[in-house]
Amino acid sequence: MGGLKKKGWLSLVMVTALSTLAAGCSLFGDGGSSDEGTITFWHGTTDVEKEALEEIVKKFNEKNPETKVKPVYIAQQGEGQNEKLLAAIAGGHPPDVAYFDRFEIGSWAEQGSLTEITEQAKKAGIDNESYYDYAIAEATYKGKLYGLPMDSDSRLLFYNKDHFKEAGLDPEKPPKSIAELEKAAKKLTVKKGNRFEQIGFVPWYGQGWLYTWGWAFGGDFYDKKSGKVIAHDPKVVESLQWMADYAKKYGIEDVTAFTDSAGSAAESPFLTGQLSMMVNVPTQIGGIQKYKPDLNYGVAPIPTPTGDNFTTWAGGFSFVIPKGSKHEKEAWEFMKFAAGPEGQEIYSKMTGNFASIQSINEKLYKDDPIKKEFVDSLLQAHHRPVISEGSLLWNELTKARDLAIREKNSPEKLLKAVSNKVNDALNK
């Protein structure tokens, strides 16, 4: 989720570009191709997602013999991929197309590193109806389109139905309200001394970000009219206060000991039966199918204080044309195909990821009750603010959450500090 801050951006580009060139790296070979009719496509995916993108490239090349797309894998390690792309842009030899986190479009567009595609999309008949609202909004900065949305995720409450039965809870009636969530969590928790043998729920575990709970509580993080971050929205403060109170009730040190020792993949506490409920994304489904296919579980909307007005938030990747591409026309044709219905269906079928096109999801997942629940949730999905300091906001919200659950300061003061810091950065 990292991203470059506005301050120091140009110096980072220059230093990275110069050091890369000085080291004799083949920056130009990896970037824009000099071969006529060949465009270079950078991505940082591996495994099945890499195979899916390569299948899309293959299909496009078959349909467009006059244009050859050359996929190039660029290792994605934190901001490493971004630094290399920045260096390529600074050196004047960027790839023609890049697979790019939509979350970062705002900051990169602000710096002039992406090619605007508003007119191309308009001529092609691509509008706000072509993709989910949140997806096209996340690819748009200051009213201009900079990317075509690709995949999508979402967040729901996963719960262990067997645990519910054992605790005397109805496995077909997951909690809808925060009060019901707390009541169920208490019944599902088994603690011996300071050690949790089973814990019902941990609000900040998995996808328990402030975005998750702030929106669930009815708050917001950004005021479009004023262009100001409003992380101290009363409802967001209320959500963080709830997390802090929850941490105090269950003992933050004991909960931290549990979460710190939690494994991943096959050793995930939800799969091992140590955690009864958690908020997570659809990739958790793949982990369950692979490591614990007999797990008796369900998914449900994220609980809210009122037990209705459910919401979620979503992110995903997009295709962009880096500034300086030598083959903008061909790059556009490729990304239009890749992010269009045919490309997205290929990708979703091969990866299990959701598309950012509603009709594709409805076609592929209408008979899968778990995935259909996720698909339905996308109609109410929020997206993170498209601002030049999106990464700073993410990082500061995470810090505020972690400080609040450890009682280092009040949620209201912490969130006011977040708003002030990010707004100061936006004004510079």
Side-chain angles (χ1 to χ4, degrees), residues 286-311:
I288 293 170
Q289 291 173 339
K290 183 175 182 179
Y291 301 113
K292 192 75 172 177
D294 60 343
L295 184 65
N296 185 19
Y297 77 102
V299 296
I302 298 167
T304 64
T306 58
D308 56 11
N309 296 319
F310 303 114
T311 188

Side-chain angles (χ1 to χ4, degrees), residues 117-395:
I117 57 171
T118 310
E119 287 304 312
Q120 293 96 314
K122 186 177 180 181
K123 289 178 182 178
I126 296 171
D127 55 26
N128 290 1
E129 302 300 316
S130 303
Y131 299 91
Y132 287 110
D133 290 344
Y134 69 85
I136 202 74
E138 201 171 28
T140 303
Y141 182 64
K142 292 185 177 179
K144 297 178 180 179
L145 187 66
Y146 288 92
L148 288 185
M150 187 57 173
D151 65 342
S152 184
D153 60 17
S154 181
R155 284 137 187 88
L156 289 178
L157 180 75
F158 284 73
Y159 68 100
N160 187 314
K161 290 188 174 184
D162 288 339
H163 283 193
F164 269 53
K165 290 178 185 176
E166 293 164 7
L169 297 166
D170 188 338
E172 302 308 321
K173 291 184 178 180
K176 292 183 177 182
S177 68
I178 295 297
E180 290 173 352
L181 177 67
E182 291 180 329
K183 185 177 179 180
K186 184 177 180 180
K187 287 187 175 183
L188 291 161
T189 298
V190 179
K191 190 176 185 182
K192 296 287 181 68
N194 294 330
R195 181 176 173 272
F196 288 102
E197 293 188 353
Q198 178 179 302
I199 191 165
F201 185 67
V202 180
W204 52 91
Y205 186 77
Q207 288 290 313
W209 308 106
L210 251 177
Y211 280 128
T212 302
W213 294 112
W215 278 317
F217 273 66
D220 211 344
F221 298 84
Y222 184 69
D223 180 18
K224 290 183 180 179
K225 288 185 178 180
S226 66
K228 298 289 186 182
V229 167
I230 50 170
H232 58 294
D233 178 302
K235 294 296 184 182
V236 179
V237 173
E238 185 183 341
S239 73
L240 185 54
Q241 185 63 60
W242 170 68
M243 279 194 269
D245 292 342
Y246 197 100
K248 186 175 183 179
K249 178 180 179 180
Y250 282 88
I252 185 60
E253 295 304 330
D254 295 343
V255 176
T256 300
F258 175 88
T259 55
D260 284 353
S261 64
S264 58
E267 299 304 314
S268 161
F270 188 71
L271 271 64
T272 60
Q274 296 168 286
L275 179 65
S276 302
M277 299 182 289
M278 67 174 178
V279 174
N280 219 325
V281 289
T283 52
Q284 182 66 49
I285 300 170
I288 293 170
Q289 291 173 339
K290 183 175 182 179
Y291 301 113
K292 192 75 172 177
D294 60 343
L295 184 65
N296 185 19
Y297 77 102
V299 296
I302 298 167
T304 64
T306 58
D308 56 11
N309 296 319
F310 303 114
T311 188
T312 187
W313 65 277
F317 276 69
S318 61
F319 291 91
V320 297
I321 301 176
K323 201 72 172 179
S325 164
K326 304 298 191 296
H327 305 93
E328 283 188 24
K329 182 180 178 181
E330 294 85 354
W332 166 253
E333 291 301 321
F334 169 63
M335 61 191 282
K336 185 173 64 172
F337 171 81
E342 187 171 349
Q344 293 218 26
E345 184 167 344
I346 290 171
Y347 194 80
S348 292
K349 279 183 175 179
M350 291 184 67
T351 65
N353 292 1
F354 295 113
S356 58
I357 298 175
Q358 184 178 348
S359 60
I360 300 299
N361 289 330
E362 291 176 345
K363 175 183 177 181
L364 297 180
Y365 306 119
K366 62 181 180 180
D367 296 324
D368 185 323
I370 295 291
K371 290 190 174 181
K372 186 179 183 303
E373 192 79 37
F374 274 99
V375 171
D376 291 345
S377 75
L378 290 173
L379 295 173
Q380 292 83 40
H382 290 274
H383 65 85
R384 288 164 290 184
V386 184
I387 57 176
S388 59
E389 295 293 346
S391 294
L392 177 62
L393 176 56
W394 173 273
N395 293 336

Side-chain angles (χ1 to χ4, degrees), residues 389-409:
E389 295 293 346
S391 294
L392 177 62
L393 176 56
W394 173 273
N395 293 336
E396 292 304 312
L397 287 173
T398 302
K399 289 179 186 176
R401 180 199 65 180
D402 294 345
L403 289 170
I405 62 176
R406 291 184 174 278
E407 297 185 87
K408 298 299 183 181
N409 210 331

